[in-house]
Coordinates of all heavy atoms in Angstrom, one line a residue:
M21 N 0.8 -1.2 0.0 CA 0.0 0.0 0.0 C 0.8 1.3 0.0 O 1.8 1.4 0.8 CB -0.9 0.0 1.2 CG -2.0 -1.1 1.2 SD -3.2 -0.7 0.0 CE -4.3 -2.1 0.2
K22 N 0.6 2.2 -0.9 CA 1.3 3.4 -1.0 C 1.0 4.4 0.1 O 1.8 5.3 0.4 CB 1.1 4.0 -2.3 CG 1.7 3.3 -3.5 CD 1.4 3.9 -4.8 CE 1.9 3.1 -6.0 NZ 1.4 3.6 -7.2
V23 N -0.1 4.2 0.8 CA -0.5 5.0 1.8 C 0.4 5.1 3.1 O 0.6 6.0 3.7 CB -2.0 4.7 2.4 CG1 -2.5 5.7 3.4 CG2 -3.0 4.6 1.2
K24 N 1.0 3.9 3.2 CA 2.0 3.8 4.3 C 3.0 4.9 4.4 O 3.3 5.4 5.4 CB 2.7 2.4 4.2 CG 2.9 1.8 5.5 CD 3.5 0.3 5.4 CE 3.7 -0.3 6.6 NZ 4.3 -1.6 6.5
E25 N 3.5 5.2 3.2 CA 4.6 6.2 3.1 C 4.1 7.6 3.5 O 4.7 8.3 4.3 CB 5.1 6.3 1.7 CG 6.3 7.2 1.5 CD 7.5 6.3 1.4 OE1 7.5 5.1 1.5 OE2 8.5 6.9 1.1
E26 N 2.8 7.9 3.2 CA 2.3 9.2 3.5 C 2.1 9.3 5.0 O 2.2 10.3 5.6 CB 0.9 9.3 2.8 CG 1.1 9.9 1.4 CD -0.2 10.2 0.7 OE1 -1.0 10.9 1.2 OE2 -0.5 9.6 -0.3
E27 N 1.7 8.2 5.7 CA 1.4 8.2 7.1 C 2.6 8.7 7.9 O 2.4 9.2 9.0 CB 1.0 6.9 7.5 CG -0.5 6.6 7.3 CD -1.0 5.3 7.9 OE1 -0.6 4.3 7.4 OE2 -1.6 5.3 9.0
K28 N 3.8 8.5 7.4 CA 5.0 8.9 8.1 C 5.0 10.4 8.3 O 5.5 10.9 9.2 CB 6.2 8.4 7.3 CG 6.6 7.0 7.7 CD 8.1 6.8 7.3 CE 8.2 6.6 5.8 NZ 9.5 6.2 5.4
Y29 N 4.4 11.1 7.4 CA 4.4 12.5 7.4 C 3.1 13.2 8.0 O 3.0 14.4 8.0 CB 4.7 13.1 6.0 CG 5.9 12.6 5.4 CD1 5.9 11.5 4.4 CD2 7.1 13.0 5.7 CE1 7.0 10.9 4.0 CE2 8.3 12.5 5.2 CZ 8.2 11.4 4.3 OH 9.4 10.9 3.8
K30 N 2.3 12.4 8.6 CA 1.1 12.9 9.1 C 1.3 13.4 10.5 O 0.5 14.4 10.9 CB 0.0 11.8 9.1 CG -0.9 11.8 7.9 CD -2.0 10.8 8.1 CE -2.9 10.7 6.9 NZ -3.9 9.7 7.1
G31 N 2.2 13.0 11.1 CA 2.4 13.3 12.6 C 2.5 14.8 12.7 O 3.2 15.6 12.0
K32 N 1.8 15.3 13.8 CA 1.9 16.7 14.1 C 3.2 17.2 14.6 O 3.8 16.4 15.5 CB 0.8 17.1 15.1 CG -0.2 18.0 14.5 CD -1.2 18.4 15.6 CE -2.4 19.2 15.1 NZ -3.3 19.5 16.2
G33 N 3.7 18.3 14.2 CA 4.9 18.8 14.7 C 6.2 17.9 14.4 O 7.1 17.9 15.2
I34 N 6.1 17.2 13.3 CA 7.3 16.4 13.0 C 8.3 17.3 12.4 O 8.1 18.2 11.6 CB 6.9 15.3 12.0 CG1 8.0 14.3 11.9 CG2 6.6 15.9 10.6 CD1 7.6 13.0 11.2
R35 N 9.5 17.1 13.0 CA 10.7 18.0 12.6 C 11.6 17.1 11.7 O 12.0 16.0 12.0 CB 11.5 18.3 13.8 CG 10.6 19.1 14.8 CD 10.1 20.5 14.4 NE 9.5 21.1 15.5 CZ 8.5 22.0 15.3 NH1 8.1 22.3 14.2 NH2 7.9 22.6 16.4
K36 N 11.9 17.7 10.6 CA 12.8 17.0 9.7 C 13.9 18.0 9.2 O 13.7 19.2 9.1 CB 12.0 16.5 8.5 CG 11.1 15.3 8.7 CD 10.6 14.7 7.5 CE 9.7 15.7 6.7 NZ 9.3 15.1 5.5
C37 N 15.0 17.4 8.9 CA 16.0 18.2 8.3 C 15.6 18.8 7.0 O 15.1 18.1 6.1 CB 17.3 17.3 8.1 SG 18.6 18.2 7.2
K38 N 15.7 20.1 6.9 CA 15.2 20.7 5.6 C 16.2 20.6 4.5 O 15.9 21.0 3.4 CB 14.9 22.2 5.8 CG 16.0 23.1 6.4 CD 15.5 24.4 6.7 CE 16.6 25.3 7.2 NZ 16.1 26.7 7.5
I39 N 17.3 19.9 4.8 CA 18.3 19.7 3.7 C 18.1 18.2 3.2 O 17.9 18.0 2.0 CB 19.7 19.9 4.1 CG1 19.9 21.4 4.5 CG2 20.7 19.5 3.1 CD1 21.2 21.8 5.2
C40 N 18.2 17.3 4.1 CA 18.3 15.9 3.7 C 17.0 15.2 4.1 O 16.7 14.1 3.6 CB 19.5 15.2 4.2 SG 19.4 14.8 6.0
G41 N 16.2 15.8 4.9 CA 14.9 15.2 5.3 C 14.8 14.2 6.4 O 13.7 13.7 6.8
T42 N 16.0 14.0 7.0 CA 16.0 13.0 8.1 C 15.5 13.6 9.4 O 15.5 14.9 9.5 CB 17.3 12.5 8.3 OG1 17.3 11.3 9.1 CG2 18.3 13.5 9.0
S43 N 15.0 12.8 10.4 CA 14.5 13.3 11.6 C 15.6 13.0 12.8 O 15.3 13.2 13.9 CB 13.2 12.9 11.9 OG 13.1 11.5 11.8
R44 N 16.6 12.4 12.3 CA 17.6 11.9 13.3 C 18.6 13.0 13.6 O 19.2 13.6 12.7 CB 18.3 10.7 12.8 CG 17.3 9.5 12.8 CD 18.0 8.3 12.3 NE 19.0 7.7 13.2 CZ 19.8 6.8 12.9 NH1 19.8 6.2 11.7 NH2 20.7 6.4 13.8
G45 N 18.9 13.2 14.9 CA 19.9 14.1 15.3 C 19.6 15.6 14.9 O 20.5 16.3 14.4
L46 N 18.4 15.9 14.9 CA 18.0 17.3 14.4 C 18.4 18.3 15.3 O 18.2 18.2 16.6 CB 16.5 17.3 14.2 CG 15.9 18.2 13.1 CD1 16.4 17.8 11.8 CD2 14.4 18.3 13.2
I47 N 18.9 19.4 14.7 CA 19.3 20.6 15.6 C 18.2 21.7 15.3 O 18.0 22.0 14.1 CB 20.7 21.1 15.2 CG1 21.7 20.0 15.5 CG2 21.0 22.4 15.8 CD1 23.1 20.3 15.0
R48 N 17.7 22.2 16.4 CA 16.6 23.2 16.2 C 17.1 24.6 16.6 O 16.4 25.5 16.4 CB 15.4 22.7 17.0 CG 14.6 21.6 16.4 CD 13.4 21.3 17.2 NE 13.9 20.8 18.6 CZ 13.0 20.5 19.5 NH1 11.7 20.8 19.4 NH2 13.4 20.1 20.7
S49 N 18.2 24.7 17.1 CA 18.7 25.9 17.6 C 19.1 26.7 16.4 O 19.3 26.3 15.3 CB 20.0 25.7 18.4 OG 21.0 25.0 17.7
H50 N 19.1 28.0 16.6 CA 19.3 29.0 15.5 C 18.4 28.9 14.4 O 18.6 29.4 13.2 CB 20.7 28.8 14.9 CG 21.8 28.7 15.9 ND1 22.2 29.9 16.7 CD2 22.6 27.7 16.4 CE1 23.2 29.4 17.5 NE2 23.5 28.2 17.4
N51 N 17.2 28.3 14.7 CA 16.1 28.2 13.6 C 16.6 27.5 12.4 O 16.2 27.8 11.3 CB 15.6 29.6 13.2 CG 14.2 29.8 13.7 OD1 13.6 29.0 14.4 ND2 13.6 31.0 13.5
L52 N 17.5 26.5 12.7 CA 18.1 25.9 11.5 C 17.2 24.7 11.0 O 17.0 24.5 9.9 CB 19.5 25.3 11.8 CG 20.6 26.5 11.9 CD1 21.8 25.9 12.5 CD2 20.8 27.1 10.5
Y53 N 16.8 23.9 12.0 CA 16.0 22.7 11.7 C 16.8 21.8 10.7 O 16.3 21.4 9.6 CB 14.7 23.0 11.2 CG 13.8 23.5 12.2 CD1 13.6 25.0 12.4 CD2 13.1 22.7 13.1 CE1 12.8 25.4 13.5 CE2 12.4 23.2 14.1 CZ 12.2 24.5 14.2 OH 11.4 25.1 15.3
I54 N 18.0 21.5 10.9 CA 18.8 20.6 10.2 C 19.4 19.5 11.0 O 19.6 19.8 12.2 CB 19.8 21.3 9.4 CG1 20.7 22.2 10.2 CG2 19.2 22.2 8.2 CD1 21.9 22.8 9.5
C55 N 19.8 18.4 10.5 CA 20.3 17.4 11.2 C 21.9 17.7 11.4 O 22.5 18.5 10.7 CB 20.2 16.1 10.6 SG 21.2 15.9 9.1
R56 N 22.4 16.9 12.4 CA 23.8 17.2 12.8 C 24.8 17.1 11.6 O 25.7 17.8 11.5 CB 24.2 16.2 13.9 CG 23.5 16.5 15.2 CD 23.9 15.5 16.3 NE 25.4 15.6 16.5 CZ 25.9 14.9 17.4 NH1 25.3 13.9 18.0 NH2 27.2 15.0 17.7
R57 N 24.4 16.1 10.8 CA 25.3 15.9 9.6 C 25.4 17.1 8.7 O 26.4 17.6 8.2 CB 24.7 14.7 8.8 CG 25.9 13.6 8.6 CD 25.2 12.4 8.0 NE 25.7 12.3 6.6 CZ 25.1 11.4 5.7 NH1 24.2 10.7 6.0 NH2 25.6 11.4 4.5
C58 N 24.1 17.6 8.4 CA 24.1 18.8 7.5 C 24.6 20.0 8.2 O 25.1 20.9 7.5 CB 22.6 19.0 7.0 SG 22.1 17.6 6.0
F59 N 24.4 20.1 9.5 CA 24.8 21.2 10.3 C 26.4 21.4 10.0 O 26.8 22.5 9.9 CB 24.5 20.9 11.7 CG 25.0 22.1 12.6 CD1 24.4 23.3 12.6 CD2 26.2 21.9 13.4 CE1 24.9 24.4 13.4 CE2 26.6 23.0 14.2 CZ 26.0 24.2 14.2
R60 N 27.0 20.3 10.0 CA 28.5 20.4 9.8 C 28.8 21.1 8.5 O 29.7 21.9 8.4 CB 29.1 19.0 9.8 CG 29.3 18.5 11.3 CD 29.9 17.2 11.3 NE 31.3 17.3 10.9 CZ 32.1 16.2 10.7 NH1 31.7 15.0 11.1 NH2 33.4 16.4 10.2
E61 N 28.1 20.7 7.4 CA 28.3 21.3 6.1 C 27.9 22.8 6.2 O 28.6 23.6 5.6 CB 27.4 20.5 5.1 CG 27.8 19.1 5.0 CD 29.2 19.0 4.5 OE1 29.6 19.6 3.6 OE2 29.9 18.1 5.2
V62 N 26.7 23.1 6.8 CA 26.3 24.4 6.9 C 27.3 25.3 7.7 O 27.6 26.5 7.3 CB 24.9 24.5 7.4 CG1 24.4 26.0 7.7 CG2 23.9 23.8 6.5
A63 N 27.7 24.8 8.7 CA 28.6 25.5 9.6 C 29.9 25.8 8.9 O 30.5 26.9 9.1 CB 28.9 24.6 10.9
K64 N 30.2 24.9 8.1 CA 31.5 25.2 7.2 C 31.3 26.3 6.3 O 32.1 27.3 6.2 CB 31.9 23.9 6.4 CG 33.1 23.2 6.9 CD 33.6 22.2 5.9 CE 32.7 21.0 5.7 NZ 33.3 20.0 4.8
S65 N 30.1 26.3 5.7 CA 29.9 27.3 4.6 C 29.6 28.8 5.3 O 29.8 29.8 4.7 CB 28.7 26.9 3.7 OG 27.6 26.8 4.5
L66 N 29.1 28.7 6.6 CA 28.8 29.9 7.2 C 30.1 30.4 8.0 O 30.0 31.5 8.7 CB 27.7 29.7 8.2 CG 26.3 29.5 7.6 CD1 25.2 29.3 8.7 CD2 25.9 30.7 6.8
N67 N 31.1 29.5 8.1 CA 32.3 29.8 8.9 C 31.9 29.9 10.3 O 32.4 30.6 11.1 CB 33.0 31.1 8.4 CG 34.5 31.0 8.8 OD1 35.0 30.0 9.0 ND2 35.0 32.2 8.7
F68 N 31.0 29.1 10.6 CA 30.5 29.0 12.0 C 31.5 28.4 12.9 O 32.0 27.3 12.7 CB 29.1 28.2 12.1 CG 28.5 28.2 13.5 CD1 27.7 29.2 13.8 CD2 28.7 27.1 14.3 CE1 27.1 29.2 15.1 CE2 28.2 27.1 15.6 CZ 27.3 28.1 16.0
R69 N 31.8 29.0 14.1 CA 32.7 28.5 15.0 C 32.1 28.1 16.3 O 31.4 28.9 16.8 CB 33.9 29.5 15.3 CG 34.9 29.5 14.0 CD 36.1 30.3 14.3 NE 36.9 30.4 13.1 CZ 38.2 30.7 13.1 NH1 38.8 31.0 14.2 NH2 38.9 30.8 12.1
K70 N 32.6 27.1 16.8 CA 32.1 26.6 18.1 C 33.0 27.0 19.2 O 34.2 26.6 19.2 CB 32.0 25.1 18.1 CG 30.9 24.6 19.1 CD 30.8 23.1 19.0 CE 29.8 22.5 19.9 NZ 29.6 21.0 19.7
Y71 N 32.5 27.9 20.1 CA 33.4 28.3 21.2 C 33.2 27.5 22.4 O 32.1 27.1 22.8 CB 33.1 29.8 21.5 CG 33.4 30.6 20.4 CD1 32.4 31.1 19.5 CD2 34.8 31.1 20.2 CE1 32.8 31.9 18.4 CE2 35.1 31.9 19.1 CZ 34.1 32.4 18.3 OH 34.5 33.1 17.3
G72 N 34.2 27.2 23.1 CA 34.2 26.4 24.4 C 34.6 25.0 24.1 O 34.1 24.1 24.6
Ligands
ZN122 ZN1 20.3 16.7 7.1

């Protein structure tokens, strides 16, 4: 059944990485809503530095 796939996205307030679409290891800080993996790529391009 193809409906099965759609049900995955029915959940309210589901957060997904806006780059790769995964919901694992999602970072919501800085209004990014991207996963840790993509965050590394974004951080690189933004020249984002982690202090501490
Ligand atoms: Zn991602």
Side-chain angles (χ1 to χ4, degrees):
M21 291 292 183
K22 287 175 186 175
V23 186
K24 218 176 180 183
E25 190 102 355
E26 273 182 61
E27 274 186 287
K28 272 199 287 187
Y29 304 98
K30 265 187 180 177
K32 242 187 190 179
I34 192 163
R35 307 287 187 211
K36 286 192 301 178
C37 171
K38 54 184 180 180
I39 296 173
C40 71
T42 192
S43 56
R44 291 179 68 185
L46 208 65
I47 295 171
R48 288 179 295 168
S49 54
H50 309 292
N51 250 358
L52 286 171
Y53 289 98
I54 53 174
C55 68
R56 289 179 66 183
R57 230 175 112 190
C58 293
F59 177 75
R60 282 182 65 181
E61 297 301 311
V62 173
K64 250 196 287 178
S65 60
L66 289 179
N67 206 18
F68 183 84
R69 287 190 182 196
K70 203 176 180 182
Y71 295 100

